[in-house]
Amino acid sequence: MLILISDAFAPDLPEKLSPYGDVTDDKGKLPEATVVLVRSKTKVTREYIDSAPNLKLVIRGGVGLDNIDLNYAAEKGIAVHNTAAASSIAVSELAFTLMIALPNHVTKADNTMHAGQWAKKELRRTELYKKTLGIVGLGRIGTELAKRAAAFGMNVVAYDPFVESSEVATMKPELKDVLNNSDYVSLHLPLNEETKGIINAEMLNEFKDGAYLINTGRGKTIVEEDVVEALKSGKLAGFGNDVWYSDPPENTPFIDAPNVIMLPHLGASTKENLLRIGDIIESIIRDFVSTD
Ligand code: NAD
């Protein structure tokens, strides 16, 4: 059995998987592979699947399955798994990092110091304490973020049509109820037909003036040009972003927009998370081998 590691995983993964078959990172060997491991970079499209006649199992290290043609995989009898539970701590810590970095002007302060400037008077910080965080999509990652916000004395509200009640957030019946009331809005949505472009000009009008937006979910859940307009008009005080229309983004309009912190899709990329993902992948392959 050939296991193809197509994207970046923990360095010890090939050794961990070696008892179950031959392990390669040579993408040219796709036609021989029985198992393929991907993160978000490899797109498992219809064409990709058609060029892998021996493929039986695709494992997505991470959460979102939007880079995999699930219907076609099912049609071809290919099992698809993800490692959904592994990344919640890593991503929620990164969303929280952005929520601290924006109102404390961490990147601006650092840039001015590196440029030999002393911007003490210009840079006015605000506190998270007693502010309201609105979480859109209260799943695993949103829930971990809510716990961290509570520890900072924040009030947490959330919108998620599939969650009736929560111990960590006050649920609101409509998205706009969250946007109207939040000083910070953090997106933790899967990408699908309902969520694509959900944060658009109309919804941005519902935000409190001077709110902050954070997206560590999926890039296409926002309309980038509309967010840029909201930043330019001051409707949004800042935007922290980890996720893009493509990795890396092409001609992102955020390059010239004010008060933006941009990250290169780092949400899942902690050392600890990659080890957790590796452990879950091993257990999926162990089960696959034992039932095959
Ligand atoms: P999850 O499935 O546990 O949570 C997603 C939540 O969104 C669910 O509770 C669901 O009910 C809710 N939801 C679905 N449609 C909605 C809608 N229209 N409006 C409001 N809520 C809706 O997933 P998770 O583990 O919390 O991950 C959330 C997202 O984070 C993933 O889908 C993935 O796209 C993204 N992610 C990003 C990174 C990164 O590197 N930045 C890493 C992992 C995951």
Side-chain angles (χ1 to χ4, degrees):
M1 177 172 96
L2 184 68
I3 302 169
L4 169 61
I5 301 183
S6 187
D7 290 334
F9 287 87
D12 71 337
L13 191 61
E15 196 188 331
K16 204 179 253 178
L17 300 183
S18 60
Y20 307 99
D22 295 328
V23 183
T24 182
D25 61 4
D26 178 356
K27 292 179 189 171
K29 296 219 165 123
L30 176 63
E32 296 150 53
T34 305
V35 179
V36 171
L37 311 184
V38 302
R39 288 183 63 200
S40 51
K41 194 168 177 205
T42 300
K43 309 295 173 213
V44 185
T45 57
R46 178 177 276 262
E47 296 72 41
Y48 187 94
I49 291 171
D50 281 341
S51 55
N54 293 311
L55 190 58
K56 296 266 184 326
L57 173 65
V58 174
I59 308 177
R60 157 76 163 100
V63 183
L65 291 168
D66 41 292
N67 56 325
I68 298 172
D69 187 334
L70 294 173
N71 291 334
Y72 196 55
E75 212 177 286
K76 291 281 173 180
I78 298 166
V80 177
H81 289 261
N82 63 3
T83 61
S87 306
S88 312
I89 302 290
V91 184
S92 64
E93 285 193 9
L94 196 72
F96 208 88
T97 300
L98 290 168
M99 200 159 69
I100 293 181
L102 283 164
N104 288 296
H105 309 298
V106 172
T107 52
K108 258 190 218 166
D110 183 56
N111 288 342
T112 50
M113 289 298 287
H114 279 282
Q117 296 157 11
W118 186 248
K120 185 174 169 68
K121 282 203 180 115
E122 293 86 329
L123 297 175
R124 286 276 170 263
R125 300 168 47 228
T126 55
E127 298 173 358
L128 297 183
Y129 182 62
K130 294 210 165 169
K131 300 293 189 312
T132 295
L133 165 64
I135 296 179
V136 185
L138 193 70
R140 284 172 293 256
I141 297 169
T143 299
E144 289 301 326
L145 180 66
K147 291 183 202 164
R148 283 151 183 77
F152 267 61
M154 297 184 86
N155 171 41
V156 184
V157 297
Y159 169 68
D160 188 321
F162 305 100
V163 176
E164 255 176 48
S165 67
S166 162
E167 287 180 3
V168 295
T170 305
M171 300 309 297
K172 298 284 182 185
E174 302 284 344
L175 175 57
K176 65 180 173 43
D177 300 329
V178 162
L179 306 181
N180 291 165
N181 289 300
S182 300
D183 303 292
Y184 295 82
V185 172
S186 192
L187 306 177
H188 300 284
L189 294 166
L191 180 64
N192 56 39
E193 283 311 309
E194 272 91 63
T195 62
K196 192 171 176 191
I198 195 169
I199 301 299
N200 51 28
E202 188 191 339
M203 279 301 144
L204 285 157
N205 268 334
E206 299 287 344
F207 278 60
K208 276 174 82 167
D209 289 344
Y212 290 92
L213 176 65
I214 290 151
N215 192 9
T216 58
R218 278 290 174 268
K220 288 180 181 165
T221 59
I222 68 161
V223 178
E224 289 186 335
E225 297 292 348
D226 293 352
V227 171
V228 169
E229 281 312 307
L231 288 161
K232 285 186 178 159
S233 73
K235 179 73 180 168
L236 287 180
F239 177 47
N241 195 38
D242 186 44
V243 283
W244 305 96
Y245 284 8
S246 66
D247 281 1
E250 283 165 28
N251 303 319
T252 169
F254 294 115
I255 291 274
D256 302 319
N259 301 320
V260 179
I261 298 181
M262 302 192 287
L263 305 177
H265 202 164
L266 292 180
S269 302
T270 65
K271 203 165 89 181
E272 295 84 350
N273 189 37
L274 291 178
L275 291 173
R276 274 194 299 270
I277 287 174
D279 289 344
I280 296 174
I281 287 173
E282 188 195 355
S283 74
I284 294 169
I285 292 183
R286 195 186 311 123
D287 288 350
F288 171 74
V289 167
S290 69
T291 54
D292 202 32

